Amino acid sequence: MDFTPTEEQAAARDLAARIFGDLATHERLSAAGTGGDAELWKALCAAGLMGAVAETGLLGLVLLLEEQGRTTAQVPFAASGVYGLLAVAAHGSPEQRERLLPGIGDGTMVVCGAVSPPSPVRATDSGRLSGAVPVVPWLRDATHVLVADDRRRLWLVRTVDARCEPVELTAPWSAGRLTLEGTPGERLGERLGAGTVRERDGHTEGVHADVLATARTAFAGLQAGVCAGSLARAVEHTNTREQFGRPLATKQAVQLRAADAYLDTEAIRVTAYEAAWRRDEGLPYVTHALTAAWWASEAGRRVVHTGQHLHGGTGADLEHPVHRHFLWGRQLDAYLGCGDEVLQELGELLVRGEGGA
C-alpha cells in the first residue's frame, strides 16, 4: 500500500485548500444559513476540481474532502463526486458517460444520493419510481438524485420531476424530503457486462454495493477533515488561553485529550485512505469502507466533542466556529449509520465471508 499522493492529487488538494481557505470563511458560512454556497461551488468547479476527480480517483476525492471538512464549506462536493461523477464513470453506459460526465465535472449538473438500504422506493421495469425518502442531503442544491429502489437498482431522477421539500438537519447540508409518484428515472448500470451485477434474494447487488462503499469512504474522508479542523481550533485556543498565568495547553489533562483526538483523527484518515486506495487499484474494499465508516462514526463523534470541550465556556457559544465542526461531526456520525449499526453490518459481512480480504 502506498498512500503518497500523486503529483496530480497533491496539486488538486493544494488548490482546494487555497480556495476553501479563501472563500469558506466564518463570516460567509454564517451568512449562508443552512443552504449551499453557490459562489464557492462555482469557484471549485471553475478551477476544475470536480472534473479532476475522474483522473485522481476516490483517493483524490478523499484528499479534497479533507480540505472541505477542515473549513466545513457548504457545498455538495462529496455528494456530487460520489453519486454523480464516480458512479457514472464506473457504472454508466458509454452513452451515459459521454452525456452526463461533462455536466457533472463543470458543476452545472449536481447529483445527490438516496442509496442507503432499506429503500422505501419501488420502481417498475419501465423506470417509474414511487415512494418517499424522508431526508436526502444536498437535495435542495441538486439537479439530479441517484435513488436506490427496494431491489437495490440505481436510478437517476431529475429533481424537477419530483417533489422536493426543505428539511433541516443538524448540519447545514441543504437537505430535503424526496417524494416520487410515478416519477421517471434513468437506470444506471443496466448495460454492464455479465458478472458485474448479481441477484441475491431478489435484490440487485454489485453496482449498489460499490456506490454505497464509495460513499462511505468519501464521507469518512470528509469526517477526517472535520475532525482535523476541530482539533486545530482547539490547539490554537488552548495555546493562547491562559489560566493562572499559564496556557491551558500546558495542563496534562488537556494534552491527553488532545492526543487522543489526534490519534482518532489519524485512524479515520488512514482507514479512509486504505479503502479509497484499494478501490482505485481494483481490489476488494467493501469491508475496508465499512471499517472507515465505523472509525469516522465512533471516533469522529469523540473528536468533535473533545474539540468543543477544550474550548471551555467558549465552546458553548453556538456562534463560535468550533460549534460548526461539532454539528458536522454529529451529522456525519448519523449519516454513516452510527457506529453500532456499521459494526453489525461489518460483522455479518465477515461471517458470510464476503467483502474481500
Side-chain angles (χ1 to χ4, degrees):
M1 293 180 291
D2 184 3
F3 304 150
T4 304
T6 64
E7 184 177 345
E8 292 79 9
Q9 290 171 338
R13 178 196 61 198
D14 295 343
L15 177 58
R18 288 198 296 272
I19 295 175
F20 284 126
D22 290 342
L23 295 182
T25 62
H26 175 58
E27 293 73 21
R28 283 176 59 89
L29 291 169
S30 299
T34 61
D37 188 331
E39 182 180 343
L40 175 55
W41 178 247
K42 289 179 181 178
L44 292 166
C45 294
L49 290 174
M50 179 54 71
V53 173
E55 302 297 328
T56 59
L58 181 54
L59 182 55
L61 177 59
V62 166
L63 293 171
L64 298 178
L65 293 178
E66 272 195 85
E67 300 306 322
Q68 178 187 357
R70 291 178 197 275
T71 59
T72 61
Q74 292 168 204
V75 288
F77 209 103
S80 205
V82 169
Y83 303 120
L85 197 143
L86 290 180
V88 173
H91 304 297
S93 67
E95 185 275 331
Q96 285 175 322
R97 293 196 295 270
E98 182 179 359
R99 172 167 49 89
L100 300 174
L101 288 179
I104 301 173
D106 66 20
T108 56
M109 178 178 174
V110 178
V111 185
C112 61
V115 304
S116 298
S119 173
V121 176
R122 297 196 175 195
T124 65
D125 291 336
S126 62
R128 294 284 176 171
L129 283 66
S130 298
V133 183
V135 176
V136 181
W138 303 108
L139 181 65
R140 281 144 50 192
D141 291 349
T143 60
H144 293 71
V145 55
L146 187 65
V147 180
D149 65 19
D150 57 347
R151 292 176 56 191
R152 301 191 181 182
R153 297 175 297 181
L154 297 181
W155 306 84
L156 266 176
V157 176
R158 299 193 311 165
T159 53
V160 294
D161 295 330
R163 180 147 52 96
C164 305
E165 304 164 281
V167 172
E168 299 302 337
L169 302 180
T170 300
W173 281 8
S174 196
R177 174 185 173 88
L178 177 70
T179 303
L180 306 169
E181 298 171 328
T183 307
E186 177 182 358
R187 178 79 182 276
L188 185 70
E190 64 180 340
R191 297 183 179 89
L192 299 181
T196 304
V197 178
R198 68 181 187 274
E199 294 285 331
R200 177 186 293 275
D201 299 329
H203 291 164
T204 304
E205 297 187 342
V207 175
H208 178 271
D210 178 65
V211 171
L212 184 58
T214 301
R216 284 167 165 161
T217 304
F219 281 93
L222 182 61
Q223 181 76 301
V226 170
C227 291
S230 175
L231 184 57
R233 292 187 182 280
V235 169
E236 180 183 9
H237 176 79
T238 55
N239 273 291
T240 55
R241 179 77 169 182
E242 291 189 357
Q243 187 180 67
F244 304 116
R246 297 174 57 194
L248 289 173
T250 61
K251 298 184 178 298
Q252 188 178 47
V254 172
Q255 293 171 359
L256 291 175
R257 286 293 300 274
D260 285 343
Y262 174 79
L263 290 175
D264 274 338
T265 302
E266 288 301 298
I268 300 169
R269 177 181 289 115
V270 73
T271 51
Y273 282 8
E274 181 180 13
W277 176 84
R278 290 182 67 90
R279 181 190 186 276
D280 291 343
E281 293 295 316
L283 300 171
Y285 78 108
V286 172
T287 53
H288 301 79
L290 280 166
T291 301
W294 181 82
W295 273 106
S297 176
E298 287 286 301
R301 185 172 63 249
R302 289 196 297 266
V303 173
V304 296
H305 275 266
T306 293
Q308 189 154 343
H309 186 200
L310 290 181
H311 278 76
T314 306
D317 182 1
L318 302 185
E319 302 300 321
H320 194 281
V322 76
H323 187 67
R324 190 174 290 109
H325 290 269
F326 175 78
L327 296 179
W328 276 64
R330 292 309 306 260
Q331 186 64 59
L332 282 163
D333 170 31
Y335 187 68
L336 288 165
C338 298
D340 289 345
E341 295 178 13
V342 174
L343 193 61
Q344 179 178 349
E345 184 178 347
L346 176 60
E348 291 172 352
L349 200 64
L350 293 173
V351 167
R352 295 201 304 264
E354 300 177 10

